[in-house]
Structure formats: structure tokens, C-alpha cells
Amino acid sequence: MLPGILKPIIFTLENQQLFIADINNETMNVILEKLLEAVESGKIDQKSPYPPQLKGQDGASELTVQALEAGIVPQLILEDALIPAMGNVGKKFSENKIFVPQMLMSARAMGASMIHLKPYFSSGEIRTKGTFIIGTVKGDLHDIGKNLVAMMIEGSGWSVIDLGVDVASDKFVATLNEHKGAVVGLSALLTTTMVNMEEIVSTIKEQVPNTTVLIGGAPVNTDFCKKIGADFYSPDPQGAVEYLNKLVAA
Amino acid sequence: MKFKNLKIDTPEKLLFGVAPAPVITRRGLVIGGGQVYAELNFTLPVMGINKSTYQEVYNHYQEIVEGALERALHLESRGVVLEFETLLEMTKDPDLGVRIVEIMNEVCEHYYQRYGLISEIRLTPNDLREFERPAFQRTSAYLEPMMELFERGMLAGGDLLSIESTGGKEVSDEALMMCDTKAMVFALAVLGVRDMQFLWSRICALAGKYGKIAAGDTACGFANTAMVLAEKKYIPKVFAAIVRVISVVRSVVAVEQGAVGPDKDCGYEGPFLKAITGIPISMEGKTAACAHLSPLGNIAMACADLWSNESVQNIKLLSGMAPVAYMEQLEYDVRLLNEAIRAGSGHTAILQELLVASDMYTDPQALILAPENVIRISRELVKGDTYVANARNGALAALNIIEESLQTGQMKLSEMETSQIPMFREDLQSIPDDESQFIEMMLPMLDEQKFILSEYGL
């Protein structure tokens, strides 16, 4: 059962007559559960044909509007619907129960919801878990794995800044200076570019001390992570999400 | 598409070691002329590449080639191809790439002059245009070092010219992750084809100018990415199989422009190219496990003219350096194939049958590489009037073959996989024959900020 917060709301009827009603926990829970289901199943909006079993039904976009109109606190929408939905998706993915496209559809559904929540991020009514800066290291152009990690971390409630591919240490440092306390993720796929991680990690640690740096990619492992002074290596996106969640909980 | 008929039209003729249009190299390899040779692919160990490490880089390549050829000589090899698949820095700085070719060629020449061991270098520069997003496929400054390395590298001893070009990748990366068949057809049969025409007309002109061999281009960044994603269970294997077939229409363009083979080892679309065009092909299978996993370990060998591995790092194993160990593995595989050829058609048929049967029904990507399926799909790949129609027809034929094997129970796939097939079929069937209509249909669905149509001549 989802928690709820009692709050008066205003319904607008066709005859323009207004009245105030009390929304109860049950109503709120129904909306949040529907939103969770929409995001988990990748239902972006009513027009979206995917998934076929929800054809014609409200999607994440409409349900978020309904939730806001029902007076549900934006932070609750994020924490009790969107993040758990993406958490379920991540779990299914790591258990090989769904493919990437289903996960991406869920991310898009979450994105459709976030459009309506954006003003609340700006005003500070919603707080993310933190900022995560990610990029493929200098000399390397591979980004499929990096994109998956970025998407999963965003889905777990972090604000993600994706610097793209072929990213040098100065760009990481500059972005870190703009976003104090952010965590950094580095990706590499080549044995000749993984070595660039070392320089980037050492520059970051020197210029922005106490920054946590995660690394990932086919040629790297925990030993390499320790050797270059990074903080964590994850072989998959879910591992990175779990590590970041522990950081927040600590 | 220029090819309207198959050069090899029966599965029995789609065999290892024999191609309708063999390629004769400078030192005398006859690739596809009745025997299979090893093609060794190698790379540096973990290290940075900058001016302060150039000498170390040179030393590694010298050590690799000397070690590999020494082992090949010891094993009485009939000839070897060495693939120099450059790392980005070696194409960005053609001086570096050219110097490595010179070093490799000096060793090749030494073993040829002193021992009669024939070896040739396949030169594979990087497609640097990927550094820019959106990519400037036709006007990028990165084209200059790429073409410079081709030209100076071939003069330095790189006789077989290849590349893994990336035209259309701006669209295909997302299409792969979304399993979007229509976008994959757009990426490969519209953008990829046009970029291949642009790039390979230039590569072939250079090769012709110096009497070198324009060998071919593989859809590594497309179909192999799909294969690796499927191995990780990120996308369905059925989708990866479809992507492989779609990729044929872009890879065949190199041959249309004048490439003669051997097509590059990481192109598992090679058997289709061989059937359609008659060129010899290089293939890699279980021997590629040092760099990536695959479901095609044995079946990939079934019609190979060069048998290859994938980039193996120059690191020490108990037996010796890893490239030397791989040289030995390739040589023993090749010996087996050549012994079957020597023994006659009954033996080649049995060996091929075993190579095929051992993998065929374990994965849809293997299934489509069985010679009878290659021929069946290839017929569909050439029967239309446009690359788009051919890509669609080939992919639908592959889906038919996959579904038939599911219905007979010969292949088993999870419900997660099979549930996707109707959607793939529906998407493919919605693709029109006409390219203009298809482009008009697709553009509203694509993010046009990610690619520049004019850079593809559109």
C-alpha cells in the first residue's frame, strides 16, 4: 500500500461549478499505483500504442497531471511511483526478464512524467538523490553501455548530466565545479582508452577532492579500479544504481 | 543493387576455401582458390598511445609479427594474412600507422625472402568520422587522415584494404537499443548504402591507382553490436539475426564499387556476400572469443576462405605471447579444412555438415548462416529493385526460416524471444519498395538532429 497525504483539491466540472472535495489515501494510492504501472510497462501517454494491453488508457503523462491535480505532493510522485517503477524495471532487466527496449520505454514513460514535474525541481519542491556526471573517456567513442547506465541511474532518482563520448578530464572537472558534490561515472571499451581513466581519476581527485568516481566497461575490473584510485567498479548498470543508493543511505 | 543473381546458387557450392572469384595477392596467396589460410588479428596490451610510447608500440607490433610468422613457419603454414586493425591514434596520426605497416612488412618480407613463407597485410584504418556527432560523412576533416593512411599504408606494404565504416550509425545505435527494425533498415539500406558508395568509390580508386586489393567493409558497428547485445541478453537474438541480414545490403556496396575481397573477418554477413558476389571471405568464430563472445563458433567456418580470430592482446600466456598462441590455433583449424579439401568433396561436405549442424539450431543467428539458408535469404536479398526492398525481403526470409525451425521444434527460443517475432514481421511488412516513400515515411519518426541528410547526398 502506498502512503498518502490528505489534501483538499478542486474539481472542475463541465458546468463550471466548483466544489472542494477531500482526497483520501485510497484515491491517491490508486493514481500512484496506476502511474507506477504505466511507467513500469512503458506507457508514455494515452496515444502511445505501447504496450498493446494498455491501448487507449492513460499513460504516465496524463496520470502525472492527474496526480498533481489531485494534490499529491510532487516528491511523493517521484518517490512512490516513478522511482519504484524504474526499480522494478531494473530488477527485471538484471534478472533477464525483459530486454532493453522495454526498459527504454519505461524510461521514456518516466521522462513524460518528469516534464510535468520539472517546475517542482526548479522550485526545490522535489529533491533528487544527487547529481551524477557520466561520460565515455577521452579517445573512446563507445556509448551504448554508458547510455544504459545513465538511464538506469536517472530512473533511480538521480539528476544525470551526460557529457557524451571522448571526454577529457578538464570537462569532468569543469562540470564538477558547476555541480558541487556530484558523483562521476567513467566508461571505456578499449584497452588503449581504459588507461585514460587513470589520468581523469587522478585529475578529478586532485582538483575536486572527495569526489566519488565509478568506472565501467568491458576491459576494466575491480583490480583496475583500485589501481587507478577510483571508488567503485560495476559490471552492469544495476550494480551502479545499487552502489549510488547505498551512498545516499550512508 | 547491381547484383541481380547469385554467383553461388546452391548450398553445396558455398564451401570453405573455394570462391568463384579468387584473389591473388602480391606474394602469391590465392585466396578462395582451393585452400584456406589463417588471418591473424591482434592488438596492443593495456597501454596508452602517445608520442612517448610510440617506440613501445612499434616494439609490440614487431614482436607480434615475428612471433606469429615464426610459429606459422614452424607449423608449415601455407600462408598467412596479418590484419593491422589500427587503433584510433594510428589513423589520427597516419605517420604512426604507416610506420607500423612498414615494420610489419619488413618482417613479412624477411620471412618470405628467407623461408618462402607468404604473408600479406590487411590494412584496416578507423572510421574517424564517428568523432563528430552529428557526423559529417562527406565533408569531415577526419576523412583526410583516413584516406592518407590508406594511401601511404598501402605503399608501405598494406596490400588488402578494409574498413569498418560507420555511415548510418547515428541512427542505428538507438534503433538497436529499441529493436526498431524500420530504423535499422533506414540506417543500413538508406544511409549506410549511400555512405558506402561515397567511401568505397574512393578506396577502390586508390587501390586501382597502386595495384592494391580493395578487400571489403564489414557491418561490425551494426550487426556485431547487435550480436554482442544479444549475447548479453539485452536484445532478442531474433532481432540480431534480422540486423545481420539487413546489413548485407550495405556491405555488398563495397563490392559494387569495385572491392574484390577477401571480406573482413568480423563480417558475419560474409557468407551472404560470397553467395551474391562470388568474392572470397574471411570469417572468425570460436577463435574470436578472446575479444567477444558469439553463438557462431563452428558455423562461421563453414564457408570461410580465410579463418581468423579477433583482436587478441599481446600479453604473455603460459605457452607464449597470445597472438602466437592464436596463430597456432588458427593454423590447426586451417590444416583440418585443407585436409578435407585435399581428401575430396565427400570429406568437405561432411566437415561442413558437422560445422553447421553443431551450431545451427542453437541460435537464430547461427541458423541463418547455414549454407542452405544463406542461399535462400540471398535470393531474396537480390530480387528487389531497391536496397530498401532487398533488406526487407531478406529480413522477412530470415524470419520465415526462424519461424519454420520453431514450428518443427528444431530450434527452441524463450517466449520473450518468440513474442517479438510478429512485431518484427509487421514492421518489416510496412516498409515500401520505393526508397523515397520509405524516407518520407521514416523522417518524421527519427531525430533529425542526430544526422545530416546532405552528408549522405540526400
Side-chain angles (χ1 to χ4, degrees):
Chain A
M1 183 63 86
L2 295 161
I5 295 172
L6 289 172
K7 204 175 176 186
I9 60 161
I10 298 173
F11 286 104
T12 305
L13 300 180
E14 283 179 359
N15 61 7
Q16 302 297 306
Q17 187 184 358
L18 300 178
F19 70 94
I20 296 176
D22 279 337
I23 181 168
N24 58 31
N25 277 354
E26 196 179 337
T27 308
M28 293 171 63
N29 287 342
V30 168
I31 296 173
L32 290 175
E33 278 174 6
K34 279 186 175 178
L35 178 56
L36 189 152
E37 186 193 353
V39 172
E40 189 173 336
S41 60
K43 179 73 175 169
I44 296 169
D45 55 26
Q46 198 181 47
K47 287 185 295 186
S48 169
Y50 180 86
Q53 70 271 20
L54 295 181
K55 192 176 178 184
Q57 294 186 30
D58 287 339
S61 180
E62 292 87 2
L63 289 163
T64 305
V65 172
Q66 289 168 28
L68 289 168
E69 287 179 353
I72 299 174
V73 176
Q75 187 76 32
L76 214 59
I77 296 173
L78 182 70
E79 289 180 359
D80 287 357
L82 305 186
I83 292 175
M86 289 305 291
N88 293 346
V89 169
K91 187 165 181 291
K92 282 186 201 168
F93 179 68
S94 60
E95 291 170 353
N96 296 324
K97 289 178 178 166
I98 58 170
F99 290 119
V100 167
Q102 286 106 306
M103 191 163 70
L104 287 174
M105 289 306 291
S106 292
R108 288 183 180 182
M110 181 172 175
S113 175
M114 295 290 263
I115 289 170
H116 303 292
L117 298 182
K118 201 173 176 184
Y120 302 97
F121 283 100
S122 308
S123 68
E125 275 189 71
I126 303 181
R127 292 175 309 280
T128 62
K129 291 177 180 173
T131 300
F132 185 72
I133 301 165
I134 189 167
T136 303
V137 301
K138 187 168 177 50
D140 203 320
L141 304 173
H142 297 88
D143 65 356
I144 287 181
K146 178 212 60 161
N147 294 345
L148 277 177
V149 172
M151 182 192 69
M152 293 284 288
I153 289 173
E154 189 165 33
S156 71
W158 286 71
S159 172
V160 173
I161 299 170
D162 187 346
L163 299 179
V165 298
D166 190 28
V167 185
S169 53
D170 55 352
K171 198 166 178 185
F172 281 108
V173 169
T175 313
L176 270 168
N177 285 331
E178 286 171 24
H179 301 273
K180 302 289 182 197
V183 176
V184 173
L186 307 178
S187 173
L189 198 78
L190 302 172
T191 51
T192 48
T193 56
M194 64 187 271
V195 291
N196 296 338
M197 283 180 167
E198 184 165 10
E199 185 270 323
I200 293 172
V201 171
S202 97
T203 305
I204 287 173
K205 296 278 184 182
E206 184 188 313
Q207 297 194 22
V208 194
N210 302 319
T211 301
T212 301
V213 182
L214 284 66
I215 66 166
V220 301
N221 58 21
T222 300
D223 286 346
F224 181 74
C225 173
K226 286 179 187 165
K227 180 174 168 269
I228 66 172
D231 298 284
F232 185 70
Y233 156 74
S234 176
D236 53 40
Q238 195 60 22
V241 168
E242 286 165 11
Y243 177 80
L244 289 175
N245 285 340
K246 281 181 195 163
L247 272 186
V248 175
Chain B
M1 208 157 117
K2 287 180 187 169
F3 294 96
K4 296 290 180 193
N5 298 296
L6 305 188
K7 286 287 189 296
I8 299 174
D9 57 4
T10 61
E12 297 75 26
K13 292 179 183 166
L14 189 58
L15 192 63
F16 51 85
V18 188
V23 169
I24 302 172
T25 69
R26 176 164 58 107
R27 296 191 181 98
L29 296 181
V30 186
I31 302 168
Q35 61 182 318
V36 182
Y37 303 102
E39 176 170 8
L40 185 70
N41 188 341
F42 40 82
T43 191
L44 295 171
V46 176
M47 67 177 287
I49 304 176
N50 51 60
K51 289 212 185 311
S52 71
T53 63
Y54 276 12
Q55 189 55 52
E56 196 183 340
V57 170
Y58 300 146
N59 294 345
H60 273 292
Y61 279 91
Q62 175 131 12
E63 179 185 55
I64 290 168
V65 177
E66 283 178 350
L69 292 188
E70 187 61 32
R71 192 64 200 155
L73 184 69
H74 185 81
L75 294 172
E76 299 179 16
S77 168
R78 300 177 187 189
V80 176
V81 172
L82 300 164
E83 185 184 12
F84 174 38
E85 192 170 327
T86 68
L87 294 161
L88 290 165
E89 294 80 357
M90 299 164 188
T91 303
K92 271 183 175 175
D93 177 3
D95 287 345
L96 174 60
V98 170
R99 180 66 195 126
I100 294 169
V101 176
E102 286 170 353
I103 289 167
M104 290 173 60
N105 190 51
E106 281 167 21
V107 180
C108 291
E109 192 60 25
H110 170 75
Y111 274 82
Y112 179 56
Q113 295 296 341
R114 183 155 184 187
Y115 307 107
L117 175 62
I118 300 174
S119 60
E120 303 289 5
I121 298 168
R122 185 197 292 270
L123 172 62
T124 307
N126 300 94
D127 190 342
L128 298 176
R129 297 171 297 173
E130 260 199 290
F131 270 105
E132 296 163 319
R133 282 288 180 263
F136 297 91
Q137 296 297 113
R138 298 190 176 189
T139 58
S140 172
Y142 282 119
L143 276 165
E144 195 177 324
M146 288 163 60
M147 299 314 288
E148 184 183 340
L149 180 56
F150 269 126
E151 185 161 10
R152 291 177 54 208
M154 72 175 85
L155 291 172
D159 276 64
L160 307 171
L161 308 179
S162 285
I163 191 167
E164 299 170 1
S165 67
T166 57
K169 203 160 180 295
E170 313 95 305
V171 172
S172 80
D173 274 355
E174 187 172 341
L176 280 178
M177 300 309 280
M178 291 304 292
C179 294
D180 185 340
T181 47
K182 285 184 288 191
M184 278 312 297
V185 172
F186 184 82
L188 290 163
V190 178
L191 301 182
V193 160
R194 284 162 185 275
D195 188 57
M196 290 280 291
Q197 288 167 338
F198 168 80
L199 195 61
W200 276 92
S201 62
R202 282 153 182 77
I203 296 169
C204 291
L206 273 181
K209 186 175 168 186
Y210 298 109
K212 300 292 181 176
I213 298 165
D217 193 317
T218 66
C220 184
F222 308 90
N224 285 7
T225 303
M227 180 176 73
V228 171
L229 290 172
E231 281 301 290
K232 285 176 170 282
K233 299 187 170 61
Y234 283 9
I235 62 173
K237 301 169 187 175
V238 174
F239 183 70
I242 292 172
V243 173
R244 181 71 63 195
V245 172
I246 295 169
S247 78
V248 176
V249 300
R250 60 70 81 188
S251 294
V252 82
V253 172
V255 188
E256 291 180 332
Q257 294 297 319
V260 295
D263 192 51
K264 208 174 111 52
D265 56 354
C266 65
Y268 292 95
E269 68 270 28
F272 300 97
L273 296 189
K274 186 168 175 174
I276 293 169
T277 70
I279 64 166
I281 58 171
S282 184
M283 294 290 288
E284 61 187 36
K286 56 195 173 227
T287 43
C290 52
H292 64 71
L293 307 177
S294 90
L296 311 168
N298 293 326
I299 201 167
M301 194 189 269
C303 46
D305 301 298
L306 293 173
W307 179 235
S308 183
N309 60 325
E310 185 50 275
S311 298
V312 61
Q313 289 178 265
N314 192 36
I315 54 173
K316 184 77 168 65
L317 305 177
L318 286 177
S319 57
M321 300 306 283
V324 176
Y326 271 76
M327 184 79 253
E328 174 166 311
Q329 289 183 352
L330 294 173
E331 279 296 333
Y332 279 113
D333 282 342
V334 163
R335 267 192 200 175
L336 181 64
L337 296 171
N338 287 334
E339 184 57 20
I341 292 171
R342 191 200 59 77
S345 59
H347 290 77
T348 52
I350 289 170
L351 180 53
Q352 186 185 60
E353 190 183 327
L354 294 172
L355 291 168
V356 171
S358 57
D359 288 345
M360 182 174 176
Y361 293 112
T362 61
D363 190 294
Q365 297 167 88
L367 181 69
I368 60 165
L369 289 191
E372 64 265 37
N373 294 333
V374 170
I375 298 297
R376 182 173 157 191
I377 293 167
S378 295
R379 286 201 182 104
E380 298 297 313
L381 283 166
V382 297
K383 79 174 187 187
D385 291 327
T386 65
Y387 295 98
V388 169
N390 287 334
R392 178 202 61 203
N393 295 340
L396 283 169
L399 271 187
N400 290 341
I401 289 166
I402 292 165
E403 286 204 305
E404 286 163 17
S405 72
L406 289 169
Q407 281 159 10
T408 58
Q410 288 166 298
M411 188 169 69
K412 291 181 172 47
L413 290 174
S414 69
E415 194 272 337
M416 261 175 81
E417 288 270 351
T418 56
S419 64
Q420 309 278 328
I421 293 177
M423 191 177 66
F424 296 146
R425 183 178 292 283
E426 193 179 326
D427 274 358
L428 286 166
Q429 285 171 335
S430 73
I431 296 173
D433 282 355
D434 184 75
E435 189 199 49
S436 304
Q437 275 180 28
F438 181 56
I439 293 171
E440 202 175 312
M441 172 180 147
M442 289 305 295
L443 286 181
M445 292 189 254
L446 299 169
D447 182 354
E448 285 193 62
Q449 291 187 331
K450 290 189 173 169
F451 57 98
I452 304 169
L453 279 176
S454 61
E455 292 287 334
Y456 289 94
L458 283 164

